[in-house]
mmCIF file of all heavy atoms in Angstrom:
data_model
loop_
_atom_site.group_PDB
_atom_site.id
_atom_site.type_symbol
_atom_site.label_atom_id
_atom_site.label_comp_id
_atom_site.label_asym_id
_atom_site.label_seq_id
_atom_site.Cartn_x
_atom_site.Cartn_y
_atom_site.Cartn_z
ATOM 1 N N ASN R 9 7.387 6.838 31.140
ATOM 2 C CA ASN R 9 6.993 8.248 31.084
ATOM 3 C C ASN R 9 7.266 8.964 32.395
ATOM 4 O O ASN R 9 6.533 9.858 32.801
ATOM 5 C CB ASN R 9 5.497 8.354 30.735
ATOM 6 C CG ASN R 9 5.167 7.718 29.409
ATOM 7 O OD1 ASN R 9 5.921 7.818 28.457
ATOM 8 N ND2 ASN R 9 4.023 7.052 29.338
ATOM 9 N N PHE R 10 8.323 8.567 33.053
ATOM 10 C CA PHE R 10 8.589 9.024 34.407
ATOM 11 C C PHE R 10 8.862 10.524 34.474
ATOM 12 O O PHE R 10 9.609 11.072 33.677
ATOM 13 C CB PHE R 10 9.788 8.274 34.995
ATOM 14 C CG PHE R 10 9.993 8.530 36.464
ATOM 15 C CD1 PHE R 10 9.223 7.867 37.401
ATOM 16 C CD2 PHE R 10 10.936 9.442 36.904
ATOM 17 C CE1 PHE R 10 9.413 8.098 38.755
ATOM 18 C CE2 PHE R 10 11.119 9.672 38.247
ATOM 19 C CZ PHE R 10 10.361 8.993 39.181
ATOM 20 N N THR R 11 8.221 11.176 35.422
ATOM 21 C CA THR R 11 8.500 12.574 35.722
ATOM 22 C C THR R 11 9.053 12.684 37.133
ATOM 23 O O THR R 11 8.885 11.772 37.948
ATOM 24 C CB THR R 11 7.221 13.432 35.602
ATOM 25 O OG1 THR R 11 6.201 12.896 36.469
ATOM 26 C CG2 THR R 11 6.718 13.445 34.169
ATOM 27 N N ASP R 12 9.706 13.790 37.424
ATOM 28 C CA ASP R 12 10.368 13.978 38.711
ATOM 29 C C ASP R 12 9.346 13.991 39.856
ATOM 30 O O ASP R 12 8.408 14.774 39.870
ATOM 31 C CB ASP R 12 11.158 15.289 38.708
ATOM 32 C CG ASP R 12 12.004 15.454 39.973
ATOM 33 O OD1 ASP R 12 12.138 14.486 40.743
ATOM 34 O OD2 ASP R 12 12.535 16.556 40.178
ATOM 35 N N ARG R 13 9.526 13.125 40.821
ATOM 36 C CA ARG R 13 8.628 13.028 41.970
ATOM 37 C C ARG R 13 9.366 13.281 43.289
ATOM 38 O O ARG R 13 8.853 12.931 44.347
ATOM 39 C CB ARG R 13 7.985 11.630 42.019
ATOM 40 C CG ARG R 13 7.079 11.304 40.849
ATOM 41 C CD ARG R 13 5.774 12.082 40.956
ATOM 42 N NE ARG R 13 4.762 11.589 40.019
ATOM 43 C CZ ARG R 13 4.589 12.012 38.812
ATOM 44 N NH1 ARG R 13 5.396 12.979 38.360
ATOM 45 N NH2 ARG R 13 3.657 11.518 38.020
ATOM 46 N N LYS R 14 10.558 13.877 43.205
ATOM 47 C CA LYS R 14 11.380 14.028 44.405
ATOM 48 C C LYS R 14 10.693 14.839 45.490
ATOM 49 O O LYS R 14 10.844 14.555 46.681
ATOM 50 C CB LYS R 14 12.736 14.648 44.040
ATOM 51 C CG LYS R 14 13.653 13.701 43.285
ATOM 52 C CD LYS R 14 15.021 14.322 43.041
ATOM 53 C CE LYS R 14 15.923 13.336 42.279
ATOM 54 N NZ LYS R 14 17.268 13.910 42.023
ATOM 55 N N HIS R 15 9.946 15.862 45.107
ATOM 56 C CA HIS R 15 9.242 16.680 46.101
ATOM 57 C C HIS R 15 8.275 15.831 46.915
ATOM 58 O O HIS R 15 8.234 15.920 48.148
ATOM 59 C CB HIS R 15 8.484 17.815 45.413
ATOM 60 C CG HIS R 15 7.649 18.636 46.358
ATOM 61 N ND1 HIS R 15 8.200 19.599 47.185
ATOM 62 C CD2 HIS R 15 6.319 18.614 46.643
ATOM 63 C CE1 HIS R 15 7.244 20.139 47.925
ATOM 64 N NE2 HIS R 15 6.086 19.564 47.610
ATOM 65 N N PHE R 16 7.500 14.991 46.235
ATOM 66 C CA PHE R 16 6.531 14.138 46.918
ATOM 67 C C PHE R 16 7.224 13.035 47.718
ATOM 68 O O PHE R 16 6.751 12.641 48.776
ATOM 69 C CB PHE R 16 5.567 13.530 45.904
ATOM 70 C CG PHE R 16 4.842 14.543 45.070
ATOM 71 C CD1 PHE R 16 5.089 14.635 43.715
ATOM 72 C CD2 PHE R 16 3.940 15.418 45.641
ATOM 73 C CE1 PHE R 16 4.435 15.569 42.938
ATOM 74 C CE2 PHE R 16 3.282 16.364 44.872
ATOM 75 C CZ PHE R 16 3.531 16.444 43.519
ATOM 76 N N GLN R 17 8.331 12.547 47.192
ATOM 77 C CA GLN R 17 9.082 11.523 47.903
ATOM 78 C C GLN R 17 9.623 12.064 49.229
ATOM 79 O O GLN R 17 9.565 11.394 50.259
ATOM 80 C CB GLN R 17 10.215 10.995 47.020
ATOM 81 C CG GLN R 17 9.729 10.229 45.798
ATOM 82 C CD GLN R 17 10.833 9.984 44.777
ATOM 83 O OE1 GLN R 17 11.997 10.328 44.997
ATOM 84 N NE2 GLN R 17 10.473 9.384 43.638
ATOM 85 N N LYS R 18 10.151 13.289 49.201
ATOM 86 C CA LYS R 18 10.642 13.919 50.426
ATOM 87 C C LYS R 18 9.498 14.148 51.412
ATOM 88 O O LYS R 18 9.669 13.978 52.619
ATOM 89 C CB LYS R 18 11.332 15.245 50.092
ATOM 90 C CG LYS R 18 12.654 15.096 49.350
ATOM 91 C CD LYS R 18 13.229 16.459 48.995
ATOM 92 C CE LYS R 18 14.557 16.320 48.251
ATOM 93 N NZ LYS R 18 15.097 17.647 47.842
ATOM 94 N N ALA R 19 8.335 14.539 50.864
ATOM 95 C CA ALA R 19 7.167 14.748 51.718
ATOM 96 C C ALA R 19 6.717 13.445 52.362
ATOM 97 O O ALA R 19 6.349 13.409 53.541
ATOM 98 C CB ALA R 19 6.030 15.361 50.904
ATOM 99 N N PHE R 20 6.742 12.352 51.594
ATOM 100 C CA PHE R 20 6.396 11.032 52.120
ATOM 101 C C PHE R 20 7.289 10.676 53.303
ATOM 102 O O PHE R 20 6.809 10.234 54.352
ATOM 103 C CB PHE R 20 6.536 9.982 51.006
ATOM 104 C CG PHE R 20 6.414 8.552 51.483
ATOM 105 C CD1 PHE R 20 5.193 7.912 51.476
ATOM 106 C CD2 PHE R 20 7.520 7.844 51.924
ATOM 107 C CE1 PHE R 20 5.074 6.585 51.904
ATOM 108 C CE2 PHE R 20 7.412 6.527 52.361
ATOM 109 C CZ PHE R 20 6.184 5.903 52.348
ATOM 110 N N ILE R 21 8.590 10.878 53.140
ATOM 111 C CA ILE R 21 9.553 10.529 54.183
ATOM 112 C C ILE R 21 9.336 11.384 55.425
ATOM 113 O O ILE R 21 9.290 10.875 56.549
ATOM 114 C CB ILE R 21 10.998 10.677 53.659
ATOM 115 C CG1 ILE R 21 11.272 9.619 52.589
ATOM 116 C CG2 ILE R 21 12.004 10.550 54.796
ATOM 117 C CD1 ILE R 21 12.598 9.805 51.866
ATOM 118 N N ARG R 22 9.199 12.686 55.238
ATOM 119 C CA ARG R 22 9.058 13.570 56.386
ATOM 120 C C ARG R 22 7.776 13.269 57.161
ATOM 121 O O ARG R 22 7.794 13.196 58.400
ATOM 122 C CB ARG R 22 9.064 15.037 55.958
ATOM 123 C CG ARG R 22 8.913 15.997 57.144
ATOM 124 C CD ARG R 22 9.063 17.454 56.753
ATOM 125 N NE ARG R 22 8.966 18.316 57.938
ATOM 126 C CZ ARG R 22 9.043 19.640 57.920
ATOM 127 N NH1 ARG R 22 9.239 20.268 56.757
ATOM 128 N NH2 ARG R 22 8.937 20.347 59.044
ATOM 129 N N TYR R 23 6.674 13.124 56.460
ATOM 130 C CA TYR R 23 5.392 12.874 57.114
ATOM 131 C C TYR R 23 5.418 11.575 57.907
ATOM 132 O O TYR R 23 5.069 11.538 59.090
ATOM 133 C CB TYR R 23 4.274 12.842 56.084
ATOM 134 C CG TYR R 23 2.895 12.627 56.690
ATOM 135 C CD1 TYR R 23 2.214 13.672 57.305
ATOM 136 C CD2 TYR R 23 2.275 11.381 56.636
ATOM 137 C CE1 TYR R 23 0.955 13.488 57.850
ATOM 138 C CE2 TYR R 23 1.014 11.183 57.176
ATOM 139 C CZ TYR R 23 0.358 12.240 57.778
ATOM 140 O OH TYR R 23 -0.892 12.051 58.324
ATOM 141 N N ASN R 24 5.842 10.499 57.260
ATOM 142 C CA ASN R 24 5.795 9.191 57.906
ATOM 143 C C ASN R 24 6.845 9.041 59.002
ATOM 144 O O ASN R 24 6.584 8.417 60.035
ATOM 145 C CB ASN R 24 5.932 8.086 56.866
ATOM 146 C CG ASN R 24 4.679 7.930 56.029
ATOM 147 O OD1 ASN R 24 3.611 7.625 56.537
ATOM 148 N ND2 ASN R 24 4.796 8.142 54.725
ATOM 149 N N ASP R 25 8.022 9.602 58.804
ATOM 150 C CA ASP R 25 9.042 9.554 59.848
ATOM 151 C C ASP R 25 8.560 10.263 61.113
ATOM 152 O O ASP R 25 8.733 9.772 62.236
ATOM 153 C CB ASP R 25 10.348 10.195 59.370
ATOM 154 C CG ASP R 25 11.203 9.263 58.531
ATOM 155 O OD1 ASP R 25 10.873 8.054 58.474
ATOM 156 O OD2 ASP R 25 12.197 9.735 57.939
ATOM 157 N N THR R 26 7.973 11.433 60.935
ATOM 158 C CA THR R 26 7.492 12.209 62.078
ATOM 159 C C THR R 26 6.341 11.503 62.778
ATOM 160 O O THR R 26 6.298 11.415 64.011
ATOM 161 C CB THR R 26 7.044 13.612 61.630
ATOM 162 O OG1 THR R 26 8.111 14.263 60.934
ATOM 163 C CG2 THR R 26 6.633 14.461 62.820
ATOM 164 N N GLN R 27 5.397 11.004 61.997
ATOM 165 C CA GLN R 27 4.261 10.290 62.561
ATOM 166 C C GLN R 27 4.695 9.002 63.251
ATOM 167 O O GLN R 27 4.212 8.683 64.354
ATOM 168 C CB GLN R 27 3.241 9.989 61.464
ATOM 169 C CG GLN R 27 1.863 9.598 61.975
ATOM 170 C CD GLN R 27 0.895 9.393 60.830
ATOM 171 O OE1 GLN R 27 1.123 8.565 59.958
ATOM 172 N NE2 GLN R 27 -0.200 10.138 60.827
ATOM 173 N N ASP R 28 5.609 8.260 62.644
ATOM 174 C CA ASP R 28 6.101 7.016 63.236
ATOM 175 C C ASP R 28 6.808 7.267 64.567
ATOM 176 O O ASP R 28 6.653 6.500 65.524
ATOM 177 C CB ASP R 28 7.066 6.314 62.277
ATOM 178 C CG ASP R 28 6.369 5.772 61.035
ATOM 179 O OD1 ASP R 28 5.122 5.783 60.989
ATOM 180 O OD2 ASP R 28 7.076 5.340 60.101
ATOM 181 N N LYS R 29 7.567 8.340 64.622
ATOM 182 C CA LYS R 29 8.261 8.694 65.858
ATOM 183 C C LYS R 29 7.261 8.990 66.965
ATOM 184 O O LYS R 29 7.447 8.580 68.122
ATOM 185 C CB LYS R 29 9.170 9.903 65.622
ATOM 186 C CG LYS R 29 9.980 10.313 66.851
ATOM 187 C CD LYS R 29 10.856 11.516 66.538
ATOM 188 C CE LYS R 29 11.644 11.957 67.771
ATOM 189 N NZ LYS R 29 12.494 13.156 67.482
ATOM 190 N N HIS R 30 6.201 9.694 66.626
ATOM 191 C CA HIS R 30 5.165 10.023 67.608
ATOM 192 C C HIS R 30 4.460 8.775 68.113
ATOM 193 O O HIS R 30 4.177 8.644 69.306
ATOM 194 C CB HIS R 30 4.150 10.983 66.984
ATOM 195 C CG HIS R 30 3.000 11.312 67.873
ATOM 196 N ND1 HIS R 30 3.095 12.209 68.922
ATOM 197 C CD2 HIS R 30 1.720 10.856 67.879
ATOM 198 C CE1 HIS R 30 1.927 12.294 69.532
ATOM 199 N NE2 HIS R 30 1.069 11.486 68.912
ATOM 200 N N ARG R 31 4.183 7.840 67.200
ATOM 201 C CA ARG R 31 3.471 6.626 67.567
ATOM 202 C C ARG R 31 4.365 5.633 68.297
ATOM 203 O O ARG R 31 3.879 4.749 69.000
ATOM 204 C CB ARG R 31 2.873 5.978 66.323
ATOM 205 C CG ARG R 31 1.793 6.804 65.674
ATOM 206 C CD ARG R 31 1.253 6.192 64.399
ATOM 207 N NE ARG R 31 0.166 6.981 63.840
ATOM 208 C CZ ARG R 31 -0.504 6.680 62.738
ATOM 209 N NH1 ARG R 31 -0.175 5.597 62.054
ATOM 210 N NH2 ARG R 31 -1.502 7.462 62.312
ATOM 211 N N ASN R 32 5.671 5.745 68.092
ATOM 212 C CA ASN R 32 6.625 4.863 68.749
ATOM 213 C C ASN R 32 6.271 3.404 68.518
ATOM 214 O O ASN R 32 6.240 2.583 69.429
ATOM 215 C CB ASN R 32 6.700 5.163 70.260
ATOM 216 C CG ASN R 32 7.915 4.511 70.920
ATOM 217 O OD1 ASN R 32 8.942 4.249 70.280
ATOM 218 N ND2 ASN R 32 7.785 4.239 72.211
ATOM 219 N N ASN R 33 5.986 3.097 67.277
ATOM 220 C CA ASN R 33 5.585 1.750 66.898
ATOM 221 C C ASN R 33 6.421 1.306 65.700
ATOM 222 O O ASN R 33 7.442 1.901 65.387
ATOM 223 C CB ASN R 33 4.086 1.749 66.561
ATOM 224 C CG ASN R 33 3.468 0.370 66.617
ATOM 225 O OD1 ASN R 33 3.733 -0.412 67.509
ATOM 226 N ND2 ASN R 33 2.606 0.078 65.681
ATOM 227 N N THR R 34 6.032 0.244 65.046
ATOM 228 C CA THR R 34 6.717 -0.189 63.833
ATOM 229 C C THR R 34 6.769 0.940 62.815
ATOM 230 O O THR R 34 5.799 1.678 62.640
ATOM 231 C CB THR R 34 5.994 -1.398 63.220
ATOM 232 O OG1 THR R 34 5.857 -2.432 64.188
ATOM 233 C CG2 THR R 34 6.770 -1.935 62.024
ATOM 234 N N THR R 35 7.899 1.093 62.134
ATOM 235 C CA THR R 35 8.065 2.176 61.170
ATOM 236 C C THR R 35 7.968 1.663 59.736
ATOM 237 O O THR R 35 8.136 0.466 59.474
ATOM 238 C CB THR R 35 9.419 2.870 61.352
ATOM 239 O OG1 THR R 35 10.475 1.988 60.927
ATOM 240 C CG2 THR R 35 9.638 3.260 62.804
ATOM 241 N N TRP R 36 7.718 2.584 58.806
ATOM 242 C CA TRP R 36 7.668 2.207 57.395
ATOM 243 C C TRP R 36 9.033 1.713 56.924
ATOM 244 O O TRP R 36 9.097 0.829 56.050
ATOM 245 C CB TRP R 36 7.215 3.407 56.547
ATOM 246 C CG TRP R 36 8.224 4.518 56.392
ATOM 247 C CD1 TRP R 36 8.424 5.581 57.222
ATOM 248 C CD2 TRP R 36 9.181 4.652 55.329
ATOM 249 N NE1 TRP R 36 9.438 6.374 56.761
ATOM 250 C CE2 TRP R 36 9.916 5.827 55.583
ATOM 251 C CE3 TRP R 36 9.487 3.907 54.199
ATOM 252 C CZ2 TRP R 36 10.937 6.274 54.755
ATOM 253 C CZ3 TRP R 36 10.516 4.357 53.361
ATOM 254 C CH2 TRP R 36 11.226 5.515 53.640
ATOM 255 N N ARG R 37 10.110 2.239 57.504
ATOM 256 C CA ARG R 37 11.453 1.811 57.118
ATOM 257 C C ARG R 37 11.695 0.349 57.481
ATOM 258 O O ARG R 37 12.364 -0.390 56.732
ATOM 259 C CB ARG R 37 12.501 2.701 57.780
ATOM 260 C CG ARG R 37 12.456 4.165 57.306
ATOM 261 C CD ARG R 37 13.447 5.032 58.089
ATOM 262 N NE ARG R 37 13.369 6.435 57.727
ATOM 263 C CZ ARG R 37 14.070 7.015 56.759
ATOM 264 N NH1 ARG R 37 14.931 6.296 56.059
ATOM 265 N NH2 ARG R 37 13.926 8.299 56.492
ATOM 266 N N GLU R 38 11.155 -0.093 58.611
ATOM 267 C CA GLU R 38 11.294 -1.483 59.022
ATOM 268 C C GLU R 38 10.469 -2.418 58.141
ATOM 269 O O GLU R 38 10.908 -3.526 57.817
ATOM 270 C CB GLU R 38 10.861 -1.642 60.480
ATOM 271 C CG GLU R 38 11.772 -0.929 61.483
ATOM 272 C CD GLU R 38 11.178 -0.863 62.874
ATOM 273 O OE1 GLU R 38 9.938 -0.981 63.005
ATOM 274 O OE2 GLU R 38 11.952 -0.672 63.839
ATOM 275 N N LEU R 39 9.295 -1.978 57.746
ATOM 276 C CA LEU R 39 8.389 -2.803 56.960
ATOM 277 C C LEU R 39 8.735 -2.840 55.480
ATOM 278 O O LEU R 39 8.468 -3.837 54.801
ATOM 279 C CB LEU R 39 6.950 -2.302 57.130
ATOM 280 C CG LEU R 39 6.307 -2.471 58.504
ATOM 281 C CD1 LEU R 39 4.966 -1.763 58.545
ATOM 282 C CD2 LEU R 39 6.131 -3.953 58.845
ATOM 283 N N LEU R 40 9.312 -1.753 54.982
ATOM 284 C CA LEU R 40 9.554 -1.624 53.550
ATOM 285 C C LEU R 40 10.996 -1.201 53.274
ATOM 286 O O LEU R 40 11.262 -0.104 52.760
ATOM 287 C CB LEU R 40 8.586 -0.596 52.963
ATOM 288 C CG LEU R 40 7.109 -0.993 52.982
ATOM 289 C CD1 LEU R 40 6.210 0.224 53.077
ATOM 290 C CD2 LEU R 40 6.782 -1.783 51.734
ATOM 291 N N PRO R 41 11.962 -2.068 53.588
ATOM 292 C CA PRO R 41 13.370 -1.704 53.395
ATOM 293 C C PRO R 41 13.731 -1.430 51.941
ATOM 294 O O PRO R 41 14.581 -0.580 51.664
ATOM 295 C CB PRO R 41 14.136 -2.911 53.954
ATOM 296 C CG PRO R 41 13.145 -4.049 53.938
ATOM 297 C CD PRO R 41 11.824 -3.424 54.178
ATOM 298 N N GLU R 42 13.101 -2.131 50.987
ATOM 299 C CA GLU R 42 13.392 -1.906 49.575
ATOM 300 C C GLU R 42 12.891 -0.532 49.127
ATOM 301 O O GLU R 42 13.545 0.150 48.343
ATOM 302 C CB GLU R 42 12.769 -3.002 48.716
ATOM 303 C CG GLU R 42 13.458 -4.359 48.862
ATOM 304 C CD GLU R 42 12.939 -5.376 47.871
ATOM 305 O OE1 GLU R 42 11.923 -5.102 47.196
ATOM 306 O OE2 GLU R 42 13.555 -6.453 47.746
ATOM 307 N N LEU R 43 11.741 -0.118 49.639
ATOM 308 C CA LEU R 43 11.225 1.210 49.328
ATOM 309 C C LEU R 43 12.127 2.281 49.939
ATOM 310 O O LEU R 43 12.413 3.297 49.296
ATOM 311 C CB LEU R 43 9.795 1.363 49.843
ATOM 312 C CG LEU R 43 9.149 2.743 49.643
ATOM 313 C CD1 LEU R 43 9.085 3.121 48.171
ATOM 314 C CD2 LEU R 43 7.750 2.781 50.272
ATOM 315 N N GLU R 44 12.574 2.062 51.166
ATOM 316 C CA GLU R 44 13.473 3.013 51.814
ATOM 317 C C GLU R 44 14.739 3.198 50.980
ATOM 318 O O GLU R 44 15.175 4.334 50.747
ATOM 319 C CB GLU R 44 13.838 2.523 53.213
ATOM 320 C CG GLU R 44 14.820 3.464 53.928
ATOM 321 C CD GLU R 44 15.367 2.888 55.220
ATOM 322 O OE1 GLU R 44 15.287 1.657 55.416
ATOM 323 O OE2 GLU R 44 15.912 3.668 56.030
ATOM 324 N N LEU R 45 15.331 2.096 50.526
ATOM 325 C CA LEU R 45 16.552 2.160 49.728
ATOM 326 C C LEU R 45 16.305 2.910 48.422
ATOM 327 O O LEU R 45 17.108 3.765 48.023
ATOM 328 C CB LEU R 45 17.062 0.751 49.439
ATOM 329 C CG LEU R 45 18.349 0.645 48.595
ATOM 330 C CD1 LEU R 45 19.515 1.332 49.308
ATOM 331 C CD2 LEU R 45 18.684 -0.832 48.334
ATOM 332 N N ALA R 46 15.190 2.613 47.764
ATOM 333 C CA ALA R 46 14.882 3.255 46.490
ATOM 334 C C ALA R 46 14.658 4.758 46.665
ATOM 335 O O ALA R 46 15.122 5.560 45.848
ATOM 336 C CB ALA R 46 13.648 2.607 45.866
ATOM 337 N N LEU R 47 13.964 5.148 47.717
ATOM 338 C CA LEU R 47 13.715 6.565 47.969
ATOM 339 C C LEU R 47 15.004 7.299 48.318
ATOM 340 O O LEU R 47 15.236 8.424 47.869
ATOM 341 C CB LEU R 47 12.691 6.731 49.096
ATOM 342 C CG LEU R 47 11.238 6.396 48.752
ATOM 343 C CD1 LEU R 47 10.377 6.373 50.013
ATOM 344 C CD2 LEU R 47 10.667 7.385 47.752
ATOM 345 N N THR R 48 15.840 6.668 49.126
ATOM 346 C CA THR R 48 17.119 7.273 49.508
ATOM 347 C C THR R 48 17.982 7.531 48.281
ATOM 348 O O THR R 48 18.585 8.597 48.134
ATOM 349 C CB THR R 48 17.869 6.377 50.503
ATOM 350 O OG1 THR R 48 17.061 6.157 51.666
ATOM 351 C CG2 THR R 48 19.176 7.028 50.931
ATOM 352 N N ASP R 49 18.052 6.536 47.390
ATOM 353 C CA ASP R 49 18.829 6.687 46.169
ATOM 354 C C ASP R 49 18.242 7.767 45.260
ATOM 355 O O ASP R 49 18.967 8.525 44.609
ATOM 356 C CB ASP R 49 18.886 5.360 45.408
ATOM 357 C CG ASP R 49 19.747 4.322 46.101
ATOM 358 O OD1 ASP R 49 20.561 4.709 46.984
ATOM 359 O OD2 ASP R 49 19.612 3.125 45.776
ATOM 360 N N SER R 50 16.915 7.856 45.233
ATOM 361 C CA SER R 50 16.240 8.780 44.328
ATOM 362 C C SER R 50 16.471 10.241 44.705
ATOM 363 O O SER R 50 16.701 11.078 43.839
ATOM 364 C CB SER R 50 14.740 8.489 44.298
ATOM 365 O OG SER R 50 14.037 9.426 43.511
#
């Protein structure tokens, strides 16, 4: 029953990328490479 979630997916990426950069620590992309690939494709 999938509905379009691209808006939220983009928001997820922007929020976490910005926060990760500020923290200068491990990133979600490093921890979850399969999720990163799936979101990029989506």
